């Protein structure tokens, strides 16, 4: 990796778009390249989830204490539950020049962009709205009513997609994972992200400068 600092990468997308699935495969295929921030939430644990792996599951009181103590980089309310990004993990990693991925919703993504204008914002969606519904239903983790609420939220969220840097259509999972990886790796080569090595080269070249 060449760039000055680790990247903060935000992956957002409609509920059921496949963010969690993409992240799982990205981390499996490139375990040394990425670190995933684990969020805190007050939503109930789904079957198959484990505290400290998908989320840190908190009570409302515990979560509000985290807000109070400034332990969260950002937080948002999504369909009646709190979700937030623990601050320390992200700050430590970027200082160590490691890439960190935040899989968070849009309000949180925009707050991160405000705090870190260099953050890379990725948005993922399935090829169609029908497919989104099929995936939410197929996942089988939410009631019919919650699925309806989440689809309604998606409709509102679609108004913010233009705020993102890149769009990834999650049709073939393998392709989507490759696209996320390639976009992130290309970002490291942006001139604006490589000011340290540029300054160093400029300095080194001065020995060839002729005084006339
Ligand atoms: P999100 O984290 O965005 O809410 P998930 O990762 O839980 O979404 O995916 C929602 C459902 O869609 C899951 O059942 C998952 O297995 C399925 N899924 C994810 N990506 C694809 C894909 N590319 N093709 C078909 N199904 C997918
Ligand atoms: P789910 O309940 O499906 O796991 O997540 C619901 C939404 O909350 C998703 O859009 C997910 O990306 C988002 N989310 C998860 N963690 C965080 C977080 O720390 N902050 C914010 N703002 N959103 C989050």
């Amino acid at each position: 990796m060449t760039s000055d600092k680790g990247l903060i990468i935000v992956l957002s997308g409609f509920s059921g778009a496949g963010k969690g699935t993409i992240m799982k495969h990205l981390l499996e295929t490139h375990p040394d390249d990425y670190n995933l921030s684990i969020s805190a939430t007050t939503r109930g644990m789904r079957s198959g989830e484990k505290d400290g792996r998908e989320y840190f599951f908190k009570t409302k009181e515990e979560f509000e204490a985290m807000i109070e103590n400034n332990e969260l980089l950002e937080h948002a309310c999504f369909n009646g539950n709190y979700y937030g990004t623990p601050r320390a993990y992200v700050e430590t990693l970027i200082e160590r020049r490691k890439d960190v991925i935040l899989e968070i919703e849009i309000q949180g993504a925009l707050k991160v962009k405000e705090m870190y204008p260099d953050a890379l914002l990725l948005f993922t969606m399935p090829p169609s709205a029908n497919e989104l519904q099929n995936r939410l239903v197929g996942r089988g983790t939410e009631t019919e009513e919650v699925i309806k609420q989440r689809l309604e939220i998606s409709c509102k969220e679609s108004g913010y997609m233009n705020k993102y840097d890149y769009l990834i259509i999650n049709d073939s999972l393998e392709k989507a994972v490759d696209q996320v990886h390639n976009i992130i790796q290309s970002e490291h080569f942006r001139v604006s992200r490589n000011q340290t090595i540029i300054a160093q080269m400029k300095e080194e070249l001065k020995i060839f400068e002729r005084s006339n």
Side-chain angles (χ1 to χ4, degrees):
M1 186 171 84
T2 60
S3 49
D4 297 337
K5 273 191 166 182
L7 295 187
I8 295 188
I9 301 125
V10 172
L11 178 66
S12 301
F14 309 127
S15 180
K19 302 177 294 297
T21 310
I22 291 174
M23 281 314 310
K24 188 168 174 286
H25 285 258
L26 185 71
L27 294 170
E28 276 168 12
T29 46
H30 304 280
D32 298 330
D33 290 332
Y34 304 113
N35 301 278
L36 178 65
S37 159
I38 300 172
S39 298
T41 184
T42 58
R43 89 145 156 72
M45 205 186 292
R46 291 176 186 148
S47 89
E49 288 184 331
K50 195 173 157 214
D51 189 31
R53 188 177 64 193
E54 280 78 14
Y55 285 103
F56 296 109
F57 292 93
K58 303 284 177 191
T59 62
K60 188 164 174 274
E61 291 69 29
E62 286 169 339
F63 196 99
E64 285 172 349
M66 290 178 86
I67 301 175
E68 194 66 25
N69 298 330
N70 201 25
E71 287 172 43
L72 298 174
L73 192 68
E74 62 73 37
H75 68 276
C77 200
F78 181 91
N79 204 26
N81 287 302
Y82 280 131
Y83 294 81
T85 305
R87 177 190 299 282
Y89 182 75
V90 175
E91 290 183 346
T92 307
L93 281 169
I94 52 167
E95 275 316 310
R96 290 187 190 157
R97 301 178 65 192
K98 302 273 187 204
D99 287 353
V100 57
I101 307 186
L102 278 53
E103 192 216 299
I104 64 177
E105 53 69 67
I106 292 172
Q107 305 161 67
L110 299 182
K111 282 185 216 158
V112 170
K113 188 75 179 174
E114 240 177 74
M115 279 182 282
Y116 296 96
D118 282 351
L120 176 64
L121 265 52
L122 314 180
F123 196 92
T124 187
M125 63 179 198
S128 69
N130 270 340
E131 176 62 14
L132 180 66
Q133 184 177 28
N134 291 340
R135 287 187 191 175
L136 267 179
V137 172
R139 187 168 70 187
T141 50
E142 272 82 21
T143 61
E144 208 180 310
E145 179 53 28
V146 172
I147 290 175
K148 279 187 187 151
Q149 290 165 0
R150 285 183 174 234
L151 287 169
E152 207 177 341
I153 294 171
S154 298
C155 180
K156 292 202 183 85
E157 288 182 331
S158 65
Y160 291 89
M161 286 161 63
N162 282 326
K163 303 265 183 201
Y164 283 73
D165 298 311
Y166 290 94
L167 177 69
I168 291 119
I169 313 268
N170 177 21
D171 191 352
S172 145
L173 177 63
E174 203 176 302
K175 275 192 195 154
V177 172
D178 277 353
Q179 283 162 3
V180 170
H181 176 64
N182 292 337
I183 290 168
I184 298 172
Q185 292 312 311
S186 302
E187 270 307 299
H188 280 293
F189 296 99
R190 257 188 209 282
V191 166
S192 62
R193 297 192 193 276
N194 287 279
Q195 292 305 303
T196 308
I197 194 154
I198 288 174
Q200 189 184 322
M201 180 55 94
K202 280 165 96 176
E203 204 50 43
E204 287 176 14
L205 284 170
K206 281 186 182 159
I207 59 165
F208 301 117
E209 203 173 30
R210 287 192 283 185
S211 50
N212 53 7

